[in-house]
Amino acid sequence: MKNAFLTLVWILSIQFITAQTDRIVVDHQSDGITLKVNGSNFMINGMNWDYFPIGTNYSYSLWQQPDAIIKEALDAEMTLLKNMGVNAIRQYTGVPPKWITYIHKNYGIYTMLNHAFGRYGVSVEGKWIAHTNYSDPIVKKQLLKEVTAMVEEYKNTPGLLLFLLGNENNYGLFWEGAETENIPTDDPKSKAQARAMYQLFNNAILAMKKIDRSKPIAICNGDLQFLDIIKEECKDMDIFGTNVYRGISFGDVFEKVKRQLNKPVLFTEFGADAFHAIKMQEDQKDQAYYMIGNWKEVYENAAGLGKAENSIGGFTFQFSDGWWKSGQTVNLKIHDKTASWANGGYKSDYKKGRNNMNEEWFGVCVKGPTNSKGLYSLHPRAAYFALKEAHKLNPYEKNMTVKRIEEFFSKISLQKALEEAKN
């Protein structure tokens, strides 16, 4: 019995040590840039993930529920994510480390942990400041305190892939609220504010690396705005993360980042909504069309394939619909059909002078009603099934070429995905 007990202790110790020793690095080679996990190239097939039952908003937290409820929610959602080939999710701070480990241990899914870095305001000395001034010494001190505390809390967490700072904070320099609006343009005043912000980003990265250098650190920018300032002020970031909504193609993103930053590109948000703003009805096939086009480019620009060779993956936006996104605090039980911003890249429902992007309809899954436990079920849309096929491709596979990727994606049937969604 004693020997059996000692053997069990030894096995558990080995498992614990193994779980702790995931080595995650950004690797620059002559044929491109990759993210390596334990020595192997790792393409991030990611998903923006959260848990908000219908009728709730950002004030709700799954992590404040009993452990049995959290486990049931995670088991349902992570099963669906694993089934579609997702290997990483984007989560904001607040998730207890044990659940990051639980997700990875049971489903093989990593977490990119995101600190908003003042995007939606900051609490300073007990006072809430809605619009963050990144040049204010007190604000700077507070944000540096928050991100270093985050690293201290999560630095030895099995299942943690990397740290992400911000969420298109450059747009926050223009927008007064948290709702998505039309993408702003530069002005001289905003450039001064942006410089102060990106300087603080870099100071935060350096402070975090003093505590833990075992995890890469990315920033989350809105598209390529202020890329010239980022080049000057954010030299110590490991990964350039960006939220990009340009329609079927990312355009010049890969080449510009390669030329100006020589950093890997990680799409922290991208995708399409499932609502047709002209027909005023759900359009699952259209959503899947844009997402598949985006992922094709993500894979084509991976290292070793002869194109930009700096793509390390992305996080599709998003797993399930956010019923609270329009209005934030009102009509939380209504699936709002009001488009809040315009984007000509999504040509199928774009009409000049009208908004066509529906914030509450970006889910690749439809959210069901809340049950007595406070949980809900999800019903996959066509995009879910199309992405499931897309994520079967490994761009680092031996003898992979851009032509092979094109052939692979040409065989993904949106009609078949639509039929699967109806079943």
Side-chain angles (χ1 to χ4, degrees):
M1 179 64 74
K2 182 179 178 181
N3 287 339
F5 174 75
L6 291 175
T7 300
L8 177 62
V9 170
W10 179 81
I11 292 172
L12 291 174
S13 298
I14 292 297
Q15 288 177 340
F16 178 77
I17 292 169
T18 302
Q20 296 284 50
T21 55
D22 273 351
R23 178 166 169 75
I24 302 167
V25 298
V26 173
D27 188 34
H28 292 250
Q29 297 291 336
S30 59
D31 64 347
I33 309 173
T34 60
L35 183 71
K36 288 188 181 295
V37 176
N38 297 328
S40 298
N41 290 335
F42 187 88
M43 174 59 64
I44 298 175
N45 293 329
M47 180 67 68
N48 279 267
W49 178 83
D50 55 34
Y51 199 91
F52 294 110
I54 293 172
T56 67
N57 63 6
Y58 54 81
S59 64
Y60 172 86
S61 174
L62 174 65
W63 316 118
Q64 293 176 4
Q65 312 310 309
D67 279 8
I69 295 297
I70 296 173
K71 184 178 180 297
E72 188 172 342
L74 291 179
D75 288 344
E77 303 242 334
M78 298 304 142
T79 297
L80 281 169
L81 284 162
K82 182 180 180 179
N83 183 58
M84 70 180 295
V86 167
N87 58 18
I89 55 175
R90 177 184 177 182
Q91 296 195 67
Y92 281 87
T93 54
V95 49
K98 70 175 184 178
W99 293 116
I100 291 176
T101 300
Y102 178 85
I103 291 167
H104 184 252
K105 179 182 177 182
N106 290 280
Y107 299 96
I109 296 173
Y110 286 94
T111 287
M112 174 175 69
L113 191 63
N114 192 176
H115 187 285
F117 206 65
R119 168 63 181 89
Y120 307 104
V122 61
S123 180
V124 179
E125 297 176 351
K127 181 181 178 181
W128 181 254
I129 301 172
H131 199 77
T132 305
N133 179 359
Y134 294 94
S135 62
D136 185 329
I138 298 176
V139 169
K140 291 196 284 187
K141 182 180 179 181
Q142 178 62 32
L143 289 176
L144 290 174
K145 178 182 177 182
E146 289 180 13
V147 298
T148 51
M150 172 183 68
V151 178
E152 288 285 5
E153 181 181 1
Y154 292 93
K155 63 181 179 181
N156 294 318
T157 303
L160 179 62
L161 184 67
L162 59 98
F163 291 109
L164 177 69
L165 295 182
N167 182 44
E168 55 192 33
N169 294 37
N170 49 309
Y171 296 161
L173 299 176
F174 303 87
W175 297 342
E176 293 300 321
E179 286 191 69
T180 304
E181 305 172 30
N182 287 329
I183 294 174
T185 55
D186 300 354
D187 62 59
K189 183 180 177 182
S190 69
K191 287 198 172 185
Q193 295 171 341
R195 189 171 295 278
M197 182 182 73
Y198 291 116
Q199 285 175 349
L200 187 57
F201 265 118
N202 205 67
N203 289 340
I205 291 166
L206 291 173
M208 292 165 69
K209 287 185 176 183
K210 283 184 179 180
I211 301 169
D212 181 16
R213 301 189 69 89
S214 70
K215 298 293 184 294
I217 303 173
I219 70 165
C220 176
N221 204 59
D223 209 284
L224 302 186
Q225 190 180 38
F226 300 125
L227 200 62
D228 55 338
I229 298 176
I230 294 171
K231 178 182 179 180
E232 295 172 2
E233 304 295 349
C234 272
K235 297 180 185 296
D236 293 288
M237 67 177 175
D238 300 300
I239 297 166
F240 177 72
T242 178
N243 293 356
V244 178
Y245 294 92
R246 296 190 180 187
I248 192 68
S249 174
F250 294 117
D252 61 359
V253 169
F254 301 101
E255 289 295 340
K256 272 196 172 181
V257 174
K258 179 180 182 178
R259 186 169 61 251
Q260 295 194 46
L261 301 182
N262 192 32
K263 301 284 186 180
V265 173
L266 175 62
F267 293 100
T268 41
E269 274 188 30
F270 67 101
D273 63 87
F275 194 83
H276 199 289
I278 295 176
K279 297 178 182 178
M280 290 300 291
Q281 63 186 31
E282 186 181 34
D283 191 339
Q284 293 191 28
K285 191 174 182 179
D286 208 40
Q287 180 191 38
Y289 163 76
Y290 287 111
M291 289 187 174
I292 290 302
N294 288 164
W295 274 104
K296 176 174 172 287
E297 289 192 355
V298 169
Y299 294 142
E300 287 176 340
N301 285 277
L305 298 178
K307 297 189 82 172
E309 300 185 309
N310 60 352
S311 171
I312 61 169
F315 291 82
T316 300
F317 188 81
Q318 63 180 346
F319 194 46
S320 61
D321 290 331
W323 282 49
W324 58 276
K325 291 294 184 72
S326 180
Q328 305 279 312
T329 59
V330 297
N331 298 327
L332 300 181
K333 293 186 177 181
I334 297 174
H335 205 182
D336 202 306
K337 299 176 181 178
T338 304
S340 58
W341 54 294
N343 192 321
Y346 300 83
K347 297 179 181 179
S348 57
D349 69 346
Y350 176 72
K351 188 174 182 180
K352 191 173 181 179
R354 289 181 54 177
N355 291 339
N356 65 322
M357 305 301 288
N358 295 78
E359 280 295 313
E360 295 197 1
W361 292 76
F362 270 85
V364 300
C365 292
V366 177
K367 189 170 291 180
T370 307
N371 64 23
S372 59
K373 296 180 182 179
L375 303 172
Y376 55 82
S377 58
L378 292 179
H379 309 282
R381 287 191 170 111
Y384 174 96
F385 295 103
L387 290 177
K388 180 180 177 181
E389 291 303 309
H391 291 327
K392 291 177 180 178
L393 183 134
N394 177 9
Y396 302 123
E397 187 179 288
K398 188 177 179 181
N399 299 321
M400 183 60 66
T401 64
V402 170
K403 184 178 180 181
R404 282 185 61 190
I405 293 174
E406 290 175 348
E407 291 173 349
F408 177 90
F409 273 81
S410 70
K411 295 175 182 177
I412 296 177
S413 170
L414 299 185
Q415 185 58 41
K416 181 182 177 183
L418 190 60
E419 291 169 0
E420 287 184 276
K422 291 177 179 179
N423 293 332

PDB file of all heavy atoms in Angstrom, residues 182 273 275-280 286 290 339-358:
ATOM      1  N   ASN A 182     -18.380  54.229 -35.455  1.00  0.00           N
ATOM      2  CA  ASN A 182     -17.579  54.252 -36.665  1.00  0.00           C
ATOM      3  C   ASN A 182     -16.119  54.487 -36.315  1.00  0.00           C
ATOM      4  O   ASN A 182     -15.790  55.220 -35.369  1.00  0.00           O
ATOM      5  CB  ASN A 182     -18.071  55.355 -37.612  1.00  0.00           C
ATOM      6  CG  ASN A 182     -19.393  54.993 -38.252  1.00  0.00           C
ATOM      7  OD1 ASN A 182     -19.686  53.822 -38.488  1.00  0.00           O
ATOM      8  ND2 ASN A 182     -20.207  55.990 -38.535  1.00  0.00           N
ATOM      9  N   ASP A 273     -21.056  39.789 -38.529  1.00  0.00           N
ATOM     10  CA  ASP A 273     -22.317  39.533 -37.842  1.00  0.00           C
ATOM     11  C   ASP A 273     -23.221  38.658 -38.705  1.00  0.00           C
ATOM     12  O   ASP A 273     -23.012  38.520 -39.915  1.00  0.00           O
ATOM     13  CB  ASP A 273     -23.018  40.847 -37.481  1.00  0.00           C
ATOM     14  CG  ASP A 273     -23.410  41.661 -38.694  1.00  0.00           C
ATOM     15  OD1 ASP A 273     -24.502  41.429 -39.233  1.00  0.00           O
ATOM     16  OD2 ASP A 273     -22.617  42.527 -39.127  1.00  0.00           O
ATOM     17  N   PHE A 275     -26.493  39.122 -39.210  1.00  0.00           N
ATOM     18  CA  PHE A 275     -27.747  39.817 -39.497  1.00  0.00           C
ATOM     19  C   PHE A 275     -27.579  40.696 -40.728  1.00  0.00           C
ATOM     20  O   PHE A 275     -26.601  41.441 -40.847  1.00  0.00           O
ATOM     21  CB  PHE A 275     -28.179  40.676 -38.303  1.00  0.00           C
ATOM     22  CG  PHE A 275     -29.604  41.150 -38.393  1.00  0.00           C
ATOM     23  CD1 PHE A 275     -30.647  40.320 -37.999  1.00  0.00           C
ATOM     24  CD2 PHE A 275     -29.905  42.407 -38.894  1.00  0.00           C
ATOM     25  CE1 PHE A 275     -31.966  40.749 -38.092  1.00  0.00           C
ATOM     26  CE2 PHE A 275     -31.213  42.844 -38.984  1.00  0.00           C
ATOM     27  CZ  PHE A 275     -32.254  42.006 -38.584  1.00  0.00           C
ATOM     28  N   HIS A 276     -28.516  40.582 -41.659  1.00  0.00           N
ATOM     29  CA  HIS A 276     -28.485  41.348 -42.902  1.00  0.00           C
ATOM     30  C   HIS A 276     -29.236  42.658 -42.688  1.00  0.00           C
ATOM     31  O   HIS A 276     -30.464  42.660 -42.511  1.00  0.00           O
ATOM     32  CB  HIS A 276     -29.111  40.544 -44.035  1.00  0.00           C
ATOM     33  CG  HIS A 276     -28.745  41.008 -45.401  1.00  0.00           C
ATOM     34  ND1 HIS A 276     -29.217  42.196 -45.928  1.00  0.00           N
ATOM     35  CD2 HIS A 276     -27.938  40.458 -46.350  1.00  0.00           C
ATOM     36  CE1 HIS A 276     -28.736  42.343 -47.145  1.00  0.00           C
ATOM     37  NE2 HIS A 276     -27.948  41.303 -47.429  1.00  0.00           N
ATOM     38  N   ALA A 277     -28.498  43.774 -42.704  1.00  0.00           N
ATOM     39  CA  ALA A 277     -29.073  45.071 -42.346  1.00  0.00           C
ATOM     40  C   ALA A 277     -30.048  45.624 -43.375  1.00  0.00           C
ATOM     41  O   ALA A 277     -30.846  46.516 -43.060  1.00  0.00           O
ATOM     42  CB  ALA A 277     -27.957  46.086 -42.115  1.00  0.00           C
ATOM     43  N   ILE A 278     -30.007  45.121 -44.604  1.00  0.00           N
ATOM     44  CA  ILE A 278     -30.946  45.587 -45.639  1.00  0.00           C
ATOM     45  C   ILE A 278     -32.200  44.712 -45.649  1.00  0.00           C
ATOM     46  O   ILE A 278     -33.330  45.214 -45.642  1.00  0.00           O
ATOM     47  CB  ILE A 278     -30.273  45.587 -47.029  1.00  0.00           C
ATOM     48  CG1 ILE A 278     -29.118  46.618 -47.047  1.00  0.00           C
ATOM     49  CG2 ILE A 278     -31.299  45.912 -48.121  1.00  0.00           C
ATOM     50  CD1 ILE A 278     -28.327  46.629 -48.333  1.00  0.00           C
ATOM     51  N   LYS A 279     -31.997  43.388 -45.633  1.00  0.00           N
ATOM     52  CA  LYS A 279     -33.142  42.474 -45.609  1.00  0.00           C
ATOM     53  C   LYS A 279     -33.798  42.419 -44.234  1.00  0.00           C
ATOM     54  O   LYS A 279     -34.926  41.916 -44.113  1.00  0.00           O
ATOM     55  CB  LYS A 279     -32.692  41.065 -46.014  1.00  0.00           C
ATOM     56  CG  LYS A 279     -32.163  40.962 -47.429  1.00  0.00           C
ATOM     57  CD  LYS A 279     -31.693  39.527 -47.707  1.00  0.00           C
ATOM     58  CE  LYS A 279     -31.115  39.392 -49.106  1.00  0.00           C
ATOM     59  NZ  LYS A 279     -30.605  38.008 -49.350  1.00  0.00           N
ATOM     60  N   MET A 280     -33.087  42.898 -43.221  1.00  0.00           N
ATOM     61  CA  MET A 280     -33.556  42.894 -41.828  1.00  0.00           C
ATOM     62  C   MET A 280     -33.932  41.481 -41.363  1.00  0.00           C
ATOM     63  O   MET A 280     -35.003  41.231 -40.822  1.00  0.00           O
ATOM     64  CB  MET A 280     -34.729  43.860 -41.645  1.00  0.00           C
ATOM     65  CG  MET A 280     -34.341  45.323 -41.755  1.00  0.00           C
ATOM     66  SD  MET A 280     -33.101  45.830 -40.529  1.00  0.00           S
ATOM     67  CE  MET A 280     -34.060  45.733 -39.002  1.00  0.00           C
ATOM     68  N   ASP A 286     -23.966  34.299 -45.076  1.00  0.00           N
ATOM     69  CA  ASP A 286     -23.136  35.476 -45.304  1.00  0.00           C
ATOM     70  C   ASP A 286     -22.068  35.594 -44.223  1.00  0.00           C
ATOM     71  O   ASP A 286     -20.903  35.877 -44.507  1.00  0.00           O
ATOM     72  CB  ASP A 286     -24.023  36.728 -45.302  1.00  0.00           C
ATOM     73  CG  ASP A 286     -23.447  37.845 -46.145  1.00  0.00           C
ATOM     74  OD1 ASP A 286     -22.919  37.549 -47.226  1.00  0.00           O
ATOM     75  OD2 ASP A 286     -23.511  39.011 -45.699  1.00  0.00           O
ATOM     76  N   TYR A 290     -17.683  35.416 -44.849  1.00  0.00           N
ATOM     77  CA  TYR A 290     -16.631  36.348 -44.453  1.00  0.00           C
ATOM     78  C   TYR A 290     -15.614  35.686 -43.527  1.00  0.00           C
ATOM     79  O   TYR A 290     -14.399  35.898 -43.657  1.00  0.00           O
ATOM     80  CB  TYR A 290     -17.247  37.565 -43.756  1.00  0.00           C
ATOM     81  CG  TYR A 290     -17.959  38.507 -44.701  1.00  0.00           C
ATOM     82  CD1 TYR A 290     -19.345  38.640 -44.668  1.00  0.00           C
ATOM     83  CD2 TYR A 290     -17.249  39.250 -45.641  1.00  0.00           C
ATOM     84  CE1 TYR A 290     -20.009  39.497 -45.546  1.00  0.00           C
ATOM     85  CE2 TYR A 290     -17.895  40.104 -46.511  1.00  0.00           C
ATOM     86  CZ  TYR A 290     -19.279  40.230 -46.466  1.00  0.00           C
ATOM     87  OH  TYR A 290     -19.930  41.072 -47.333  1.00  0.00           O
ATOM     88  N   ALA A 339     -28.358  48.353 -36.262  1.00  0.00           N
ATOM     89  CA  ALA A 339     -26.934  48.401 -36.605  1.00  0.00           C
ATOM     90  C   ALA A 339     -26.326  49.667 -36.008  1.00  0.00           C
ATOM     91  O   ALA A 339     -26.903  50.746 -36.122  1.00  0.00           O
ATOM     92  CB  ALA A 339     -26.756  48.388 -38.118  1.00  0.00           C
ATOM     93  N   SER A 340     -25.163  49.531 -35.381  1.00  0.00           N
ATOM     94  CA  SER A 340     -24.590  50.669 -34.665  1.00  0.00           C
ATOM     95  C   SER A 340     -23.433  51.344 -35.383  1.00  0.00           C
ATOM     96  O   SER A 340     -23.025  52.441 -35.015  1.00  0.00           O
ATOM     97  CB  SER A 340     -24.126  50.220 -33.270  1.00  0.00           C
ATOM     98  OG  SER A 340     -23.173  49.183 -33.373  1.00  0.00           O
ATOM     99  N   TRP A 341     -22.889  50.711 -36.437  1.00  0.00           N
ATOM    100  CA  TRP A 341     -21.810  51.354 -37.185  1.00  0.00           C
ATOM    101  C   TRP A 341     -21.787  50.832 -38.612  1.00  0.00           C
ATOM    102  O   TRP A 341     -22.397  49.816 -38.931  1.00  0.00           O
ATOM    103  CB  TRP A 341     -20.455  51.170 -36.498  1.00  0.00           C
ATOM    104  CG  TRP A 341     -20.047  49.762 -36.178  1.00  0.00           C
ATOM    105  CD1 TRP A 341     -20.634  48.907 -35.298  1.00  0.00           C
ATOM    106  CD2 TRP A 341     -18.932  49.044 -36.730  1.00  0.00           C
ATOM    107  NE1 TRP A 341     -19.960  47.712 -35.256  1.00  0.00           N
ATOM    108  CE2 TRP A 341     -18.910  47.763 -36.100  1.00  0.00           C
ATOM    109  CE3 TRP A 341     -17.941  49.360 -37.655  1.00  0.00           C
ATOM    110  CZ2 TRP A 341     -17.944  46.810 -36.402  1.00  0.00           C
ATOM    111  CZ3 TRP A 341     -16.975  48.409 -37.953  1.00  0.00           C
ATOM    112  CH2 TRP A 341     -16.983  47.151 -37.330  1.00  0.00           C
ATOM    113  N   ALA A 342     -21.109  51.572 -39.470  1.00  0.00           N
ATOM    114  CA  ALA A 342     -21.086  51.252 -40.896  1.00  0.00           C
ATOM    115  C   ALA A 342     -19.726  50.720 -41.316  1.00  0.00           C
ATOM    116  O   ALA A 342     -18.690  51.178 -40.823  1.00  0.00           O
ATOM    117  CB  ALA A 342     -21.419  52.495 -41.714  1.00  0.00           C
ATOM    118  N   ASN A 343     -19.733  49.748 -42.232  1.00  0.00           N
ATOM    119  CA  ASN A 343     -18.485  49.192 -42.736  1.00  0.00           C
ATOM    120  C   ASN A 343     -18.696  48.712 -44.165  1.00  0.00           C
ATOM    121  O   ASN A 343     -19.390  47.730 -44.414  1.00  0.00           O
ATOM    122  CB  ASN A 343     -18.017  48.038 -41.852  1.00  0.00           C
ATOM    123  CG  ASN A 343     -16.597  47.604 -42.148  1.00  0.00           C
ATOM    124  OD1 ASN A 343     -16.170  47.566 -43.294  1.00  0.00           O
ATOM    125  ND2 ASN A 343     -15.848  47.277 -41.108  1.00  0.00           N
ATOM    126  N   GLY A 344     -18.051  49.419 -45.099  1.00  0.00           N
ATOM    127  CA  GLY A 344     -18.193  49.085 -46.514  1.00  0.00           C
ATOM    128  C   GLY A 344     -17.512  47.805 -46.924  1.00  0.00           C
ATOM    129  O   GLY A 344     -17.723  47.311 -48.038  1.00  0.00           O
ATOM    130  N   GLY A 345     -16.687  47.232 -46.049  1.00  0.00           N
ATOM    131  CA  GLY A 345     -16.023  45.974 -46.381  1.00  0.00           C
ATOM    132  C   GLY A 345     -16.979  44.800 -46.435  1.00  0.00           C
ATOM    133  O   GLY A 345     -16.697  43.792 -47.081  1.00  0.00           O
ATOM    134  N   TYR A 346     -18.139  44.949 -45.781  1.00  0.00           N
ATOM    135  CA  TYR A 346     -19.163  43.891 -45.782  1.00  0.00           C
ATOM    136  C   TYR A 346     -20.228  44.295 -46.805  1.00  0.00           C
ATOM    137  O   TYR A 346     -21.287  44.820 -46.467  1.00  0.00           O
ATOM    138  CB  TYR A 346     -19.722  43.725 -44.364  1.00  0.00           C
ATOM    139  CG  TYR A 346     -18.643  43.335 -43.387  1.00  0.00           C
ATOM    140  CD1 TYR A 346     -17.813  44.292 -42.810  1.00  0.00           C
ATOM    141  CD2 TYR A 346     -18.412  41.995 -43.071  1.00  0.00           C
ATOM    142  CE1 TYR A 346     -16.786  43.939 -41.940  1.00  0.00           C
ATOM    143  CE2 TYR A 346     -17.391  41.629 -42.202  1.00  0.00           C
ATOM    144  CZ  TYR A 346     -16.579  42.610 -41.642  1.00  0.00           C
ATOM    145  OH  TYR A 346     -15.566  42.260 -40.789  1.00  0.00           O
ATOM    146  N   LYS A 347     -19.873  44.050 -48.050  1.00  0.00           N
ATOM    147  CA  LYS A 347     -20.609  44.620 -49.172  1.00  0.00           C
ATOM    148  C   LYS A 347     -22.039  44.111 -49.313  1.00  0.00           C
ATOM    149  O   LYS A 347     -22.898  44.805 -49.853  1.00  0.00           O
ATOM    150  CB  LYS A 347     -19.846  44.354 -50.478  1.00  0.00           C
ATOM    151  CG  LYS A 347     -18.477  45.022 -50.524  1.00  0.00           C
ATOM    152  CD  LYS A 347     -17.747  44.706 -51.816  1.00  0.00           C
ATOM    153  CE  LYS A 347     -16.379  45.361 -51.844  1.00  0.00           C
ATOM    154  NZ  LYS A 347     -15.642  45.046 -53.108  1.00  0.00           N
ATOM    155  N   SER A 348     -22.290  42.898 -48.853  1.00  0.00           N
ATOM    156  CA  SER A 348     -23.595  42.292 -49.109  1.00  0.00           C
ATOM    157  C   SER A 348     -24.747  43.057 -48.467  1.00  0.00           C
ATOM    158  O   SER A 348     -25.874  43.012 -48.973  1.00  0.00           O
ATOM    159  CB  SER A 348     -23.605  40.839 -48.645  1.00  0.00           C
ATOM    160  OG  SER A 348     -23.269  40.766 -47.278  1.00  0.00           O
ATOM    161  N   ASP A 349     -24.500  43.741 -47.336  1.00  0.00           N
ATOM    162  CA  ASP A 349     -25.600  44.499 -46.731  1.00  0.00           C
ATOM    163  C   ASP A 349     -25.215  45.957 -46.457  1.00  0.00           C
ATOM    164  O   ASP A 349     -25.802  46.618 -45.606  1.00  0.00           O
ATOM    165  CB  ASP A 349     -26.100  43.826 -45.445  1.00  0.00           C
ATOM    166  CG  ASP A 349     -25.101  43.876 -44.305  1.00  0.00           C
ATOM    167  OD1 ASP A 349     -23.916  44.190 -44.553  1.00  0.00           O
ATOM    168  OD2 ASP A 349     -25.507  43.595 -43.161  1.00  0.00           O
ATOM    169  N   TYR A 350     -24.206  46.417 -47.209  1.00  0.00           N
ATOM    170  CA  TYR A 350     -23.778  47.814 -47.025  1.00  0.00           C
ATOM    171  C   TYR A 350     -24.490  48.731 -48.015  1.00  0.00           C
ATOM    172  O   TYR A 350     -24.591  48.436 -49.195  1.00  0.00           O
ATOM    173  CB  TYR A 350     -22.274  47.954 -47.223  1.00  0.00           C
ATOM    174  CG  TYR A 350     -21.795  49.391 -47.152  1.00  0.00           C
ATOM    175  CD1 TYR A 350     -21.751  50.069 -45.935  1.00  0.00           C
ATOM    176  CD2 TYR A 350     -21.410  50.074 -48.303  1.00  0.00           C
ATOM    177  CE1 TYR A 350     -21.327  51.389 -45.861  1.00  0.00           C
ATOM    178  CE2 TYR A 350     -20.969  51.392 -48.239  1.00  0.00           C
ATOM    179  CZ  TYR A 350     -20.936  52.051 -47.021  1.00  0.00           C
ATOM    180  OH  TYR A 350     -20.511  53.361 -46.953  1.00  0.00           O
ATOM    181  N   LYS A 351     -24.986  49.826 -47.502  1.00  0.00           N
ATOM    182  CA  LYS A 351     -25.594  50.864 -48.326  1.00  0.00           C
ATOM    183  C   LYS A 351     -25.105  52.206 -47.800  1.00  0.00           C
ATOM    184  O   LYS A 351     -25.210  52.483 -46.594  1.00  0.00           O
ATOM    185  CB  LYS A 351     -27.125  50.790 -48.249  1.00  0.00           C
ATOM    186  CG  LYS A 351     -27.825  51.718 -49.225  1.00  0.00           C
ATOM    187  CD  LYS A 351     -29.337  51.482 -49.196  1.00  0.00           C
ATOM    188  CE  LYS A 351     -30.051  52.375 -50.204  1.00  0.00           C
ATOM    189  NZ  LYS A 351     -31.522  52.151 -50.180  1.00  0.00           N
ATOM    190  N   LYS A 352     -24.541  53.006 -48.659  1.00  0.00           N
ATOM    191  CA  LYS A 352     -23.950  54.273 -48.248  1.00  0.00           C
ATOM    192  C   LYS A 352     -24.940  55.116 -47.445  1.00  0.00           C
ATOM    193  O   LYS A 352     -26.097  55.262 -47.823  1.00  0.00           O
ATOM    194  CB  LYS A 352     -23.484  55.064 -49.471  1.00  0.00           C
ATOM    195  CG  LYS A 352     -22.618  56.274 -49.119  1.00  0.00           C
ATOM    196  CD  LYS A 352     -22.048  56.925 -50.372  1.00  0.00           C
ATOM    197  CE  LYS A 352     -21.160  58.112 -49.994  1.00  0.00           C
ATOM    198  NZ  LYS A 352     -20.563  58.754 -51.187  1.00  0.00           N
ATOM    199  N   GLY A 353     -24.443  55.624 -46.326  1.00  0.00           N
ATOM    200  CA  GLY A 353     -25.283  56.457 -45.474  1.00  0.00           C
ATOM    201  C   GLY A 353     -26.056  55.692 -44.417  1.00  0.00           C
ATOM    202  O   GLY A 353     -26.774  56.299 -43.615  1.00  0.00           O
ATOM    203  N   ARG A 354     -25.894  54.348 -44.412  1.00  0.00           N
ATOM    204  CA  ARG A 354     -26.611  53.522 -43.427  1.00  0.00           C
ATOM    205  C   ARG A 354     -25.646  52.623 -42.668  1.00  0.00           C
ATOM    206  O   ARG A 354     -24.651  52.160 -43.231  1.00  0.00           O
ATOM    207  CB  ARG A 354     -27.652  52.640 -44.124  1.00  0.00           C
ATOM    208  CG  ARG A 354     -28.853  53.378 -44.669  1.00  0.00           C
ATOM    209  CD  ARG A 354     -29.834  52.436 -45.328  1.00  0.00           C
ATOM    210  NE  ARG A 354     -30.254  51.340 -44.454  1.00  0.00           N
ATOM    211  CZ  ARG A 354     -31.160  50.418 -44.807  1.00  0.00           C
ATOM    212  NH1 ARG A 354     -31.712  50.467 -46.015  1.00  0.00           N
ATOM    213  NH2 ARG A 354     -31.499  49.474 -43.963  1.00  0.00           N
ATOM    214  N   ASN A 355     -25.927  52.379 -41.399  1.00  0.00           N
ATOM    215  CA  ASN A 355     -25.148  51.422 -40.613  1.00  0.00           C
ATOM    216  C   ASN A 355     -25.519  50.000 -41.009  1.00  0.00           C
ATOM    217  O   ASN A 355     -26.675  49.732 -41.355  1.00  0.00           O
ATOM    218  CB  ASN A 355     -25.408  51.625 -39.123  1.00  0.00           C
ATOM    219  CG  ASN A 355     -24.840  52.931 -38.601  1.00  0.00           C
ATOM    220  OD1 ASN A 355     -23.940  53.513 -39.199  1.00  0.00           O
ATOM    221  ND2 ASN A 355     -25.373  53.402 -37.486  1.00  0.00           N
ATOM    222  N   ASN A 356     -24.541  49.098 -40.958  1.00  0.00           N
ATOM    223  CA  ASN A 356     -24.817  47.710 -41.339  1.00  0.00           C
ATOM    224  C   ASN A 356     -24.197  46.675 -40.410  1.00  0.00           C
ATOM    225  O   ASN A 356     -24.333  45.474 -40.641  1.00  0.00           O
ATOM    226  CB  ASN A 356     -24.330  47.442 -42.773  1.00  0.00           C
ATOM    227  CG  ASN A 356     -22.822  47.555 -42.918  1.00  0.00           C
ATOM    228  OD1 ASN A 356     -22.195  48.417 -42.306  1.00  0.00           O
ATOM    229  ND2 ASN A 356     -22.226  46.709 -43.738  1.00  0.00           N
ATOM    230  N   MET A 357     -23.549  47.108 -39.335  1.00  0.00           N
ATOM    231  CA  MET A 357     -22.894  46.163 -38.417  1.00  0.00           C
ATOM    232  C   MET A 357     -23.719  46.043 -37.132  1.00  0.00           C
ATOM    233  O   MET A 357     -23.891  47.024 -36.399  1.00  0.00           O
ATOM    234  CB  MET A 357     -21.475  46.636 -38.102  1.00  0.00           C
ATOM    235  CG  MET A 357     -20.620  46.868 -39.353  1.00  0.00           C
ATOM    236  SD  MET A 357     -20.434  45.391 -40.399  1.00  0.00           S
ATOM    237  CE  MET A 357     -19.321  44.401 -39.397  1.00  0.00           C
ATOM    238  N   ASN A 358     -24.217  44.832 -36.895  1.00  0.00           N
ATOM    239  CA  ASN A 358     -25.117  44.571 -35.773  1.00  0.00           C
ATOM    240  C   ASN A 358     -24.364  43.897 -34.626  1.00  0.00           C
ATOM    241  O   ASN A 358     -24.111  42.690 -34.650  1.00  0.00           O
ATOM    242  CB  ASN A 358     -26.284  43.692 -36.217  1.00  0.00           C
ATOM    243  CG  ASN A 358     -27.169  44.394 -37.230  1.00  0.00           C
ATOM    244  OD1 ASN A 358     -26.827  44.472 -38.410  1.00  0.00           O
ATOM    245  ND2 ASN A 358     -28.293  44.910 -36.770  1.00  0.00           N
TER     246      ASN A 358
END
